[in-house]
């Protein structure tokens, strides 16, 4: 499959041999090569032109592009998209996001866009380029190649002084505070570079989720590659201290084979890395695969990069930083169509509320919806909506938002937005058994199945309560639970509609909220909801609940509702016993009397009832020694 490959920083140490590998081994591809300075006076661009000249029949185009200027990135994307539309360029096959920036020898740098320069060049600008050009891939799809480094994994790179970090305040990535004096340009500069590489890996995982869930883009794959530590890279001699320049020329390059054997198996030449990158980009290596690679091998990325909650937050902020809107990316179909209702072919209704949705989006996300729309479903018959009247409209709203955006807002409640009481914000969803997720019969009169048809619902069809609502119970009042219980509800909805990632997200949001809200008055109601609506084998919510309660057990013993719940809910009591220890157990405690006996303190060991405070007398002098169980 030939097409156009866009390669940023095409005159870099890795890119020049990569371009030669491309032109020599894959001559049918068209190469669009970007450089920061396209003038013939630039020595690296001269080397690139000389490499291209070896292959006079090659289809190559050199474009000037400064990734430190987002306006230039968007203008370049417009130009490439127009050329593909007009037929002067073949559709895209790959985007190779190779450009980087670091500065290890001077103070923090910002771009004209006001962003920290390393982060903009390495992550934000490439994200903008990718999202702008996704719609210009050919019908066969293709691949996005992002560049990482072992530096994204704390402790793995020898140049690291401070570990890479994605701060809770993500704005600090693009607008960090000035370095505290005395300045450590090398240490902080490398940390900014490493944090940018960590962001690239996290964003790659989020990008793949969105690509997989968009029927039009699902045949585009994204990979992040650690190309290795390149002994001959100019990076070691650019914006680096004199000592690193010396080490590069007189130690690292001449001793590369020995260093690779004894210290770093990823140390290699730029030409070796460039060949691997091109093989990934063309699909010659690991076709249709996604994820993280070290050299040309599938690998695990740093544990910090796997935080899906932070991936989602980084994704959202990157859209803003990169100036991506629903109008300028093909992925707007996953973000904006649900908001506008354009081209919808399905409706969902709930207690008088209505949402215009897209069957392709729902079916791609949920096997339950996919089965519901097969077979015999009347395409675009908007008079036959899916009815979810057993849920509260706000829960349906959040479910639909998740289906389109892989996230939902757990801080917005009906009373704040609709002026209504929260008293009926009740979720009737449960998981009494796995059967509720597997059957979808009785959907429509024209299904041709043996399922039941609800004769009373002549104006539409719905997911049969015998199927998805099997075993549904009356749930507690969600107004009492608010944020905590809303996330519990989304977890149960995730199970009901076979959305495992929604379950994971809801569990994560619940766990984060619980840390601050464990002492709210209606905690017992939240716990009761969890244990009434999850099977004993369904552990995620239960397992994140009990440790937090354990940390605050002393205060919770004073909560009458909580203690009553312990008495009435056996499963919950068992979990507490497992985590806290049997209340009847004895615990050995050692105390020392402050009085001195024969010139030294008297130490006494005794047994106390687990979980109880008290006083014990010193065996030598009867002084009362108090103790507190922690």
């Amino acid at each position: 499959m030939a097409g156009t490959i866009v390669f940023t920083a095409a005159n870099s140490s890795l890119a020049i041999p990569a371009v030669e590998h491309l032109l020599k081994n894959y001559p049918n591809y068209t190469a669009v090569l970007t450089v920061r300075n396209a003038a013939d006076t630039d020595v690296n661009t001269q080397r690139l032109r000389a490499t291209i000249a070896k292959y006079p029949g090659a289809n190559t185009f050199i474009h000037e592009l400064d990734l430190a200027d987002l306006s230039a990135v968007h203008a370049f994307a417009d130009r490439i998209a127009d050329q593909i539309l007009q037929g002067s360029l073949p559709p895209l096959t790959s985007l190779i996001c190779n450009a980087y920036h670091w500065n290890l020898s001077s103070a923090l740098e910002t771009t004209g866009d006001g962003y920290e320069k390393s982060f903009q060049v390495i992550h934000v600008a490439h994200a903008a380029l990718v999202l702008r050009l996704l719609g210009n891939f050919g019908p066969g799809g293709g691949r996005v190649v992002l560049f990482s480094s072992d530096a994204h994994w704390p402790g793995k790179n020898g140049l690291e002084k401070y570990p890479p970090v994605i701060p809770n305040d993500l704005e600090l990535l693009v607008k960090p505070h000035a370095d505290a004096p005395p300045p450590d340009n090398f240490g902080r500069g490398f940390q900014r570079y490493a944090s940018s590489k960590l962001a690239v890996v996290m964003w790659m995982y989020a990008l793949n989720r969105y690509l997989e869930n968009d029927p039009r883009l699902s045949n585009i794959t994204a990979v992040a590659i650690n190309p290795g530590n390149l002994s001959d890279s100019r990076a070691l001699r650019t914006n680096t201290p004199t000592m690193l320049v010396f080490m590069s020329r007189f130690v690292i390059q001449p001793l590369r084979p020995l260093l690779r054997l004894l210290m770093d198996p990823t140390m290699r030449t730029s030409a070796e890395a460039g060949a691997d990158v091109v093989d990934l980009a063309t699909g010659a290596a690991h076709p249709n695969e996604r994820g993280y690679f070290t050299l040309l091998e599938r690998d695990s990325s740093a544990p910090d990069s796997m935080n899906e909650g932070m991936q989602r937050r980084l994704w959202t902020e990157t859209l803003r930083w990169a100036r991506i809107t629903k109008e300028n990316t093909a992925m707007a179909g996953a973000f904006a169509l649900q908001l506008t209702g354009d081209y919808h072919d399905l409706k969902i209704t709930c207690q008088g509320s209505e949402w215009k949705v897209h069957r392709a989006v729902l079916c791609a996300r949920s096997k339950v919806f996919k089965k519901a729309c097969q077979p015999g479903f009347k395409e675009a018959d908007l008079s036959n909506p899916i009815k979810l009247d057993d849920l509260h409209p706000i829960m349906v709203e959040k479910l639909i938002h998740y289906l389109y955006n892989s996230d939902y807002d757990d801080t917005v409640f009906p009373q704040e937005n609709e002026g209504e009481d929260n008293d009926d914000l009740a979720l009737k969803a449960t998981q009494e058994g796995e059967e509720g997720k597997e059957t979808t019969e009785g959907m429509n009169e024209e299904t041709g199945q043996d399922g039941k048809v609800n004769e009373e619902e002549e104006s539409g069809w719905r997911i049969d309560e015998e199927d998805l609502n099997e075993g549904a119970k009356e749930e507690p009042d969600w107004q009492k639970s608010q944020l905590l219980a809303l996330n519990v509800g989304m977890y149960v909805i995730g199970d009901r509609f076979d959305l495992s990632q929604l379950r994971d997200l809801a569990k994560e949001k619940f766990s984060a909220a619980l840390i601050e809200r464990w002492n709210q008055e209606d905690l017992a109601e939240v716990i009761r909801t969890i244990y009434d609506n999850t099977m004993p084998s369904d552990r995620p919510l239960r397992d994140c609940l009990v440790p937090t309660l354990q940390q605050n057990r002393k205060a919770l013993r004073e909560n009458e509702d909580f203690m009553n719940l312990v008495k009435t809910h056996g499963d919950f009591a068992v979990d507490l016993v497992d985590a806290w220890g049997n209340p009847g157990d004895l615990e050995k405690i050692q105390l020392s009397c402050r009085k001195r006996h024969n010139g030294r303190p008297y130490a006494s060991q005794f047994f106390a009832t687990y979980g109880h405070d008290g006083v014990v007398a010193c065996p030598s002098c009867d002084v009362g020694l108090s103790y507190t169980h922690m």
Side-chain angles (χ1 to χ4, degrees):
M1 178 184 65
T4 297
I5 295 179
V6 175
F7 205 136
T8 66
N11 59 356
S12 69
S13 300
L14 178 149
I16 291 177
V19 169
E20 181 156 18
H21 182 75
L22 173 67
L23 301 182
K24 179 180 179 180
N25 296 283
Y26 307 98
N28 293 329
Y29 285 87
T30 297
V32 174
L33 310 172
T34 78
V35 296
R36 187 162 54 88
N37 183 359
D40 289 335
T41 54
D42 185 279
V43 62
N44 298 312
T45 301
Q46 287 180 10
R47 288 183 57 215
L48 175 62
R49 294 186 190 279
T51 299
I52 295 172
K54 299 177 186 178
Y55 304 91
N59 296 315
T60 59
F61 303 90
I62 296 178
H63 291 258
E64 189 165 283
L65 175 62
D66 183 2
L67 276 77
D69 181 354
L70 284 175
S71 295
V73 174
H74 283 271
F76 171 77
D78 285 336
R79 186 160 62 250
I80 296 302
D82 287 344
Q83 291 176 359
I84 292 174
L85 182 64
Q86 295 167 8
S88 55
L89 281 178
L92 290 176
T93 295
S94 182
L95 296 172
I96 303 178
C97 301
N98 169 61
Y100 93 103
H101 175 81
W102 70 7
N103 192 334
L104 311 185
S105 59
S106 59
L108 182 151
E109 295 177 282
T110 57
T111 67
D113 298 302
Y115 295 157
E116 194 278 313
K117 191 171 183 179
S118 292
F119 194 79
Q120 174 166 331
V121 172
I122 293 171
H123 174 58
V124 176
H126 281 133
L129 188 63
V130 170
L131 293 172
R132 286 298 313 275
L133 291 176
L134 281 176
N136 300 107
F137 278 78
R143 175 163 277 168
V144 175
V145 180
L146 303 168
F147 278 67
S148 182
S149 162
D150 64 359
H152 91 281
W153 191 311
K156 281 203 171 185
N157 191 289
L159 299 181
E160 176 187 304
K161 293 183 67 176
Y162 311 103
V165 62
I166 302 297
N168 190 54
D169 181 1
L170 295 180
E171 195 69 11
L172 292 175
L173 290 170
V174 291
K175 298 180 179 180
H177 300 308
D179 295 336
D184 184 354
N185 296 329
F186 183 92
R188 294 303 178 188
F190 188 82
Q191 183 186 41
R192 287 188 281 269
Y193 165 81
S195 297
S196 301
K197 293 298 187 179
L198 175 57
V200 166
V201 177
M202 298 178 76
W203 190 79
M204 176 271 297
Y205 289 120
L207 173 62
N208 272 321
R209 285 196 295 272
Y210 281 101
L211 290 172
E212 288 180 288
N213 291 323
D214 190 322
R216 300 168 303 161
L217 305 175
S218 60
N219 56 359
I220 300 173
T221 62
V223 298
I225 181 174
N226 166 19
N229 289 314
L230 311 182
S231 59
D232 56 349
S233 173
R234 295 196 309 272
L236 297 173
R237 305 187 298 276
T238 305
N239 296 331
T240 56
T242 303
M243 178 57 69
L244 189 57
V245 175
F246 177 86
M247 292 285 290
S248 170
R249 288 178 175 171
F250 300 108
V251 178
I252 297 175
Q253 289 189 58
L255 297 181
R256 176 183 56 79
L258 185 61
L259 294 173
R260 179 173 183 171
L261 178 65
L262 299 178
M263 298 181 62
D264 183 359
T266 73
M267 185 168 288
R268 57 179 181 165
T269 65
S270 298
E272 292 174 294
D276 285 352
V277 167
V278 169
D279 289 345
L280 272 177
T282 59
H286 300 283
N288 303 316
E289 293 188 37
R290 308 171 188 269
Y292 185 80
F293 290 79
T294 296
L295 310 187
L296 208 54
E297 300 296 326
R298 289 298 302 264
D299 203 357
S300 297
S301 57
D304 289 350
S305 71
M306 304 305 294
N307 184 327
E308 289 194 18
M310 190 61 77
Q311 291 169 9
R312 285 185 288 269
R313 291 184 56 208
L314 180 66
W315 173 270
T316 300
E317 291 305 301
T318 299
L319 293 176
R320 178 172 62 86
W321 297 328
R323 304 176 189 170
I324 298 299
T325 68
K326 62 180 183 292
E327 289 83 16
N328 66 13
T329 177
M331 201 170 273
F335 299 130
L337 283 178
Q338 188 261 322
L339 300 178
T340 64
D342 293 344
Y343 311 112
H344 66 281
D345 55 6
L346 185 62
K347 287 182 181 178
I348 293 177
T349 63
C350 174
Q351 301 181 24
S353 298
E354 179 183 282
W355 295 266
K356 298 174 180 178
V357 296
H358 305 85
R359 187 160 57 115
V361 174
L362 270 63
C363 293
R365 299 303 306 272
S366 168
K367 294 178 181 178
V368 175
F369 281 117
K370 182 176 181 179
K371 192 170 183 179
C373 294
Q374 296 175 346
F377 174 71
K378 295 180 179 180
E379 185 173 358
D381 186 354
L382 300 180
S383 65
N384 286 322
I386 295 178
K387 294 186 176 183
L388 299 177
D389 291 333
D390 59 308
L391 301 180
H392 189 283
I394 201 68
M395 305 304 290
V396 176
E397 174 74 31
K398 292 182 185 299
L399 168 62
I400 293 173
H401 187 85
Y402 171 81
L403 292 169
Y404 280 84
N405 299 280
S406 295
D407 200 357
Y408 66 90
D409 187 352
D410 64 348
T411 64
V412 178
F413 299 99
Q415 193 169 10
E416 298 173 352
N417 290 281
E418 301 177 12
E420 64 177 75
D421 292 334
N422 286 339
D423 291 344
D424 63 344
L425 185 54
L427 169 66
K428 299 185 180 75
T430 187
Q431 51 178 20
E432 283 287 88
E434 294 299 316
E435 301 86 2
K437 295 190 293 183
E438 300 297 330
T439 59
T440 52
E441 59 189 21
M443 302 297 299
N444 187 284
E445 291 185 5
E446 298 192 19
T447 61
Q449 305 292 324
D450 294 330
K452 299 178 181 179
V453 175
N454 189 337
E455 297 176 355
E456 297 178 0
E457 297 291 341
E458 294 180 355
S459 62
W461 62 275
R462 62 177 177 172
I463 299 179
D464 196 334
E465 289 185 333
E466 271 195 16
D467 301 323
L468 301 183
N469 299 331
E470 183 173 350
K473 303 175 183 177
E474 289 292 332
E475 297 295 336
D477 187 338
W478 285 92
Q479 186 273 337
K480 296 178 181 178
S481 308
Q482 293 194 359
L483 187 148
L484 284 178
L486 187 147
N487 287 314
V488 174
M490 294 304 292
Y491 179 92
V492 178
I493 283 178
D495 185 76
R496 171 176 170 174
F497 291 99
D498 199 14
L499 295 163
S500 61
Q501 291 183 355
L502 174 56
R503 281 166 43 101
D504 294 342
L505 173 62
K507 179 252 183 183
E508 182 179 285
K509 288 177 178 282
F510 173 81
S511 181
L514 182 65
I515 294 173
E516 297 181 356
R517 297 170 182 260
W518 64 267
N519 60 344
Q520 66 182 49
E521 292 182 1
D522 51 325
L523 176 65
E525 190 69 23
V526 174
I527 298 171
R528 183 177 291 107
T529 300
I530 293 173
Y531 279 82
D532 284 352
N533 292 281
T534 60
M535 298 289 287
S537 59
D538 187 359
R539 299 300 310 175
L541 287 184
R542 300 184 184 203
D543 287 346
C544 73
L545 175 71
V546 173
T548 300
L549 302 182
Q550 180 182 8
Q551 294 173 10
N552 301 283
R553 58 191 178 190
K554 187 173 181 180
L556 289 171
R557 289 192 185 96
E558 307 300 322
N559 185 320
E560 182 178 353
D561 290 340
F562 176 83
M563 295 308 296
N564 287 336
L565 181 67
V566 175
K567 297 174 183 178
T568 58
H569 276 61
D571 285 353
F572 177 51
V574 169
D575 284 346
L576 288 185
V577 168
D578 289 343
W580 295 9
N582 191 319
D585 285 350
L586 296 181
E587 180 180 45
K588 182 180 288 188
I589 298 177
Q590 179 170 321
L591 294 173
S592 296
C593 180
R594 292 183 178 180
K595 289 187 177 182
R596 302 185 70 82
H597 303 279
N598 297 322
R600 54 190 175 86
Y602 186 89
S604 175
Q605 286 190 346
F606 66 98
F607 287 95
T609 302
Y610 184 97
H612 292 273
D613 302 338
V615 177
V616 66
C618 173
S620 179
C621 64
D622 290 331
V623 170
L625 306 177
S626 63
Y627 64 92
T628 301
H629 177 82
M630 299 301 293

